[in-house]
Amino acid sequence: MPRSSFILRRLGRSVFTIWFAVTVTFLLLRLLPGDPALAVASPNMTDEARAALLTQYGLDKPLIVQYGLYLAQLIQGNFGVSFTQSVPVMDVLLQRLPWTLLLTVTALVLTTAIGIPLGVLAASKKGRFLDKIVQVIGVTGQSIFVPSIGVLLLFVFGLTLRWLPIGGAYDTDAYGLDWYGSVASHLVLPAVSLMLIQLGSYVLTMRSTLIEALGEDYVTLAKANGLPYRRILWKHALRNALLPTTTLIGLQLGFLVGGAVLTETVFAYPGIGRGIYEAVTQLDFPVLQGAFLLLAITVVVANMLTDIVYGFLDPRVKTS
Amino acid sequence: MTSLEFDPAATVGMTTPAEPVATENERAGLATWRAFRTEPLGLISLGILALLVVVAIAAPLLAPYPASYGTDVLKPPSLDYLFGTDSLGRDVLGEVIWGTQQSLLVAVSASVIAIAFGTLVAVLGAYFRKLDGFISVIVDLTLSLPVLPLMILIAALIGPSTGTIIGVVAAFSWPEVTRLVRSQALTVVNLPYVDAARLMTTSPLWIISKHIVPAVTPVIVVSVVVTASRAVLSAAGLAFLGLGDPTTWSWGRILYEAQQSGAMSSAWWLTLFPSIAILLLVLSATLLSIAYNDARNPRNRAR
């Protein structure tokens, strides 16, 4: 199968996934107990205002017509109006999206940069003490509640040692290069928290796939040819074991975003997650709905990009 | 030796899919228990889980329900208050004890619902191949979406209560169960003994309940543990964002109230004790499932 049609098919699947997310949201909003008008406006509205809204959004029409209207609005980028800030939800969220992207991408880069070598280390010392330690850390990391690790880091490095700022994303009085510096120092603690809870699955996956790869015939052949062990490990086995780990990134994206919501809440980081926390307190449903849809779209697009990269890395994907 | 690799599907797939049924089940169960007994990590985990269950059941005997406000505000741990007090002068130890009850209730109920529904969908899909395409598409799509923001939206719309949390967590946990069980059920359905069963009876219900479900039971046991521990984390996450039941204590609510009062990072005991409780529960459940998997696997036993 040529590369372009592989990308096209992958694009089609992404559009389908986004349609699914939108449809599930629509059905949940309409079929669950709860006032559908709440999805577009304040719970404190008057009865007349509510009736006017129902008519304006077509909520008095049959379900299928409502669905059509809903889709048409979303395609135009109309996610409703945040009633606490009286501005379109899209404007509020797009302002916050870059911070969430900065946080999650940094955490993802840290996780792979630390998790993959750690997994290689554990696999090459299989069964030894170091391997056990890495495995225990891996399993424990998966069991930690994100805010717990966030508050711990905040307490140690922010409040006690005073090395790093305790919240927000930048210093308001910093300009030019200083501003970038302040952004970086504010990013450290949230990104490390998010990295720590993700690390376990990367380390354990890397370890088990590499152990499997080290048992393959080509490794035995390379050993028989007298190649040094380090070279076999890093050049031959790792290259093949890396591919399943790449797919793990795609599988973990939803989890990463969920973790980001909680981490941003702990650190008052001005991303979409903190926006969700504030919207929950104010019962701002349009923002909650928009946040889910925007995060879903982000995850789907990121997932598509990893798959396409995977397609370039692994020649088998294109031929099958 | 315990191997800590955590991939229930792979480990289960390694054993012969034709699990012995009926009387042989008891013998296999006994052998599993004999192997399990020698695993210190598994036994400790089982002990911790049993302790948490006892604490949850005996909560009314262990501590009065922390409702009344006290004058000792934000006191660090001392002999009077072993876990300290919160910003309204309530005993944190009591909150953690009552939180154990709520957290276990949510975890058990949500995972029972998710397991029952997830297994049903998985075996139906494996048996009736026409359904399978549709089911696996739904499962794949749900697993690829960020579910926490969706759970938040729904919990906020319906309004926070224990029932809402159980329902929402269960509603987004079953696809993971289906994914695990389905892969095992698919191999079982193609085995000769299922074909033989088709010759004996025309009732799919009989074949599914007597021949397929018993064969996937080990996967179900593992996924109970995995689903329940994920449910604890999801429920704590919702409560931490203020979507917990406001009338009952849960570990997540202790953290939420600490965050709301602004005492979260300075009064370390407010965060530390519920965090340890969550970690203990999730970690021991995870280790237990790994130990069970190892003990059940005849390859490990033979050594």
Side-chain angles (χ1 to χ4, degrees):
Chain A
M1 187 171 68
R3 190 162 282 170
S4 57
S5 88
F6 164 70
I7 294 177
L8 254 161
R9 254 185 35 183
R10 196 56 195 78
L11 197 69
R13 220 177 81 195
S14 304
V15 173
F16 182 62
T17 313
I18 292 170
W19 168 81
F20 177 76
V22 168
T23 306
V24 165
T25 316
F26 171 82
L27 289 176
L28 287 172
L29 290 177
R30 296 298 181 276
L31 301 181
L32 283 176
D35 188 349
L38 284 180
V40 283
S42 156
N44 305 323
M45 60 199 146
T46 60
D47 279 352
E48 297 88 65
R50 185 173 171 277
L53 265 174
L54 288 180
T55 325
Q56 183 196 337
Y57 284 89
L59 293 174
D60 48 354
K61 297 201 174 72
L63 206 60
I64 187 79
V65 180
Q66 288 183 34
Y67 179 60
L69 289 171
Y70 185 76
L71 283 184
Q73 278 174 357
L74 290 186
I75 287 171
Q76 293 162 18
N78 179 2
F79 282 52
V81 173
S82 161
F83 59 79
T84 45
Q85 304 175 52
S86 304
V87 279
V89 167
M90 226 22 189
D91 296 358
V92 181
L93 293 175
L94 284 180
Q95 253 173 15
R96 288 175 171 273
L97 185 63
W99 293 113
T100 300
L101 287 180
L102 179 68
L103 175 63
T104 46
V105 170
T106 312
L108 198 59
V109 169
L110 283 178
T111 314
T112 43
I114 295 173
I116 291 176
L118 220 54
V120 174
L121 195 69
S124 66
K125 308 268 184 221
K126 188 190 170 208
R128 300 232 214 112
F129 184 66
L130 193 68
D131 178 31
K132 298 262 170 182
I133 295 286
V134 170
Q135 287 185 56
V136 169
I137 294 173
V139 173
T140 314
Q142 283 178 315
S143 315
I144 294 181
F145 186 45
V146 198
S148 302
I149 194 77
V151 175
L152 179 72
L153 293 178
L154 199 72
F155 184 73
V156 174
F157 297 101
L159 286 163
T160 312
L161 296 172
R162 294 189 180 278
W163 288 355
L164 291 160
I166 57 164
Y170 51 86
D171 291 328
T172 39
D173 54 354
Y175 295 96
L177 265 183
D178 283 353
W179 189 81
Y180 288 100
S182 80
V183 166
S185 68
H186 280 83
L187 184 61
V188 176
L189 291 182
V192 169
S193 319
L194 206 48
M195 181 266 284
L196 285 175
I197 55 144
Q198 294 247 98
L199 199 59
S201 35
Y202 283 82
V203 172
L204 296 181
T205 308
M206 190 65 237
R207 178 185 170 278
S208 57
T209 51
L210 189 57
I211 286 175
E212 209 170 292
L214 284 171
E216 299 275 347
D217 289 345
Y218 64 81
V219 171
T220 319
L221 181 68
K223 275 184 192 158
N225 277 336
L227 285 181
Y229 182 69
R230 294 176 66 95
R231 197 181 152 91
I232 298 172
L233 181 69
W234 291 96
K235 281 268 171 188
H236 297 250
L238 180 62
R239 284 182 74 145
N240 287 290
L242 267 179
L243 293 171
T245 313
T246 324
T247 39
L248 187 71
I249 297 179
L251 290 173
Q252 291 271 323
L253 279 174
F255 179 64
L256 177 69
V257 166
V261 171
L262 297 171
T263 313
E264 287 177 6
T265 304
V266 172
F267 290 97
Y269 205 76
I272 291 190
R274 179 74 185 190
I276 288 180
Y277 169 70
E278 284 160 14
V280 166
T281 340
Q282 296 151 340
L283 290 178
D284 196 337
F285 296 108
V287 170
L288 287 179
Q289 183 199 208
F292 164 65
L293 290 176
L294 191 62
L295 288 176
I297 292 169
T298 315
V299 165
V300 168
V301 170
N303 215 336
M304 179 180 75
L305 294 179
T306 23
D307 272 13
I308 291 175
V309 170
Y310 188 82
F312 282 102
L313 289 177
D314 188 348
R316 283 169 299 186
V317 173
K318 289 190 299 285
T319 49
S320 63
Chain B
M1 190 196 82
T2 317
S3 94
L4 290 169
E5 282 163 61
F6 192 53
D7 187 357
T11 329
V12 167
M14 260 162 54
T15 58
T16 39
E19 284 292 323
V21 193
T23 52
E24 291 220 357
N25 243 349
E26 285 164 33
R27 228 187 303 154
L30 209 66
T32 301
W33 168 242
R34 233 180 267 132
F36 181 81
R37 257 188 340 203
T38 61
E39 283 293 346
L41 267 182
L43 286 178
I44 295 171
S45 307
L46 194 63
I48 292 174
L49 286 183
L51 182 73
L52 287 171
V53 171
V54 170
V55 168
I57 295 171
L61 304 174
L62 295 171
Y65 186 80
S68 58
Y69 301 154
T71 44
D72 292 335
V73 173
L74 287 178
K75 289 270 183 287
S78 63
L79 281 180
D80 290 341
Y81 303 103
L82 285 176
F83 285 9
T85 61
D86 70 5
S87 56
L88 295 172
R90 291 167 298 198
D91 183 20
V92 177
L93 178 63
E95 295 175 2
V96 172
I97 288 174
W98 283 88
T100 310
Q101 195 177 50
Q102 167 78 357
S103 301
L104 284 185
L105 174 74
V106 169
V108 170
S109 324
S111 54
V112 163
I113 299 172
I115 299 275
F117 187 71
T119 306
L120 182 74
V121 170
V123 293
L124 284 181
Y127 192 83
F128 301 105
R129 299 311 300 273
K130 278 182 187 155
L131 277 176
D132 193 47
F134 177 70
I135 288 170
S136 60
V137 166
I138 298 280
V139 168
D140 283 351
L141 289 179
T142 317
L143 287 176
S144 67
L145 293 175
V147 287
L148 186 67
L150 188 54
M151 288 194 207
I152 294 168
L153 171 65
I154 299 167
L157 265 176
I158 308 179
S161 75
T162 306
T164 307
I165 295 183
I166 294 173
V168 167
V169 173
F172 294 101
S173 303
W174 69 265
E176 186 68 38
V177 179
T178 303
R179 192 181 66 90
L180 276 176
V181 176
R182 177 179 167 267
S183 61
Q184 176 75 355
L186 280 179
T187 56
V188 173
V189 166
N190 293 323
L191 290 175
Y193 81 87
V194 176
D195 288 334
R198 284 203 183 98
L199 292 175
M200 306 289 291
T201 173
T202 50
S203 156
L205 191 72
W206 178 266
I207 299 177
I208 288 176
S209 63
K210 290 286 169 184
H211 296 287
I212 298 177
V213 171
V216 296
T217 304
V219 199
I220 299 177
V221 173
V222 172
S223 70
V224 167
V225 175
V226 179
T227 315
S229 54
R230 294 237 175 103
V232 173
L233 290 178
S234 304
L238 288 175
F240 178 68
L241 294 167
L243 290 166
D245 189 330
T247 59
T248 338
W249 282 103
S250 64
W251 296 332
R253 184 182 153 201
I254 305 174
L255 295 171
Y256 167 70
E257 297 210 343
Q259 162 105 355
Q260 288 289 79
S261 67
M264 187 164 209
S265 36
S266 49
W268 51 269
W269 55 94
L270 287 181
T271 330
L272 183 68
F273 296 111
S275 295
I276 290 178
I278 298 175
L279 181 67
L280 273 182
L281 176 55
V282 178
L283 188 59
S284 50
T286 312
L287 289 175
L288 183 69
S289 77
I290 296 173
Y292 169 77
N293 246 335
D294 283 353
R296 207 183 53 77
N297 192 339
R299 288 186 192 203
N300 293 341
R301 228 184 273 147
R303 273 183 293 134

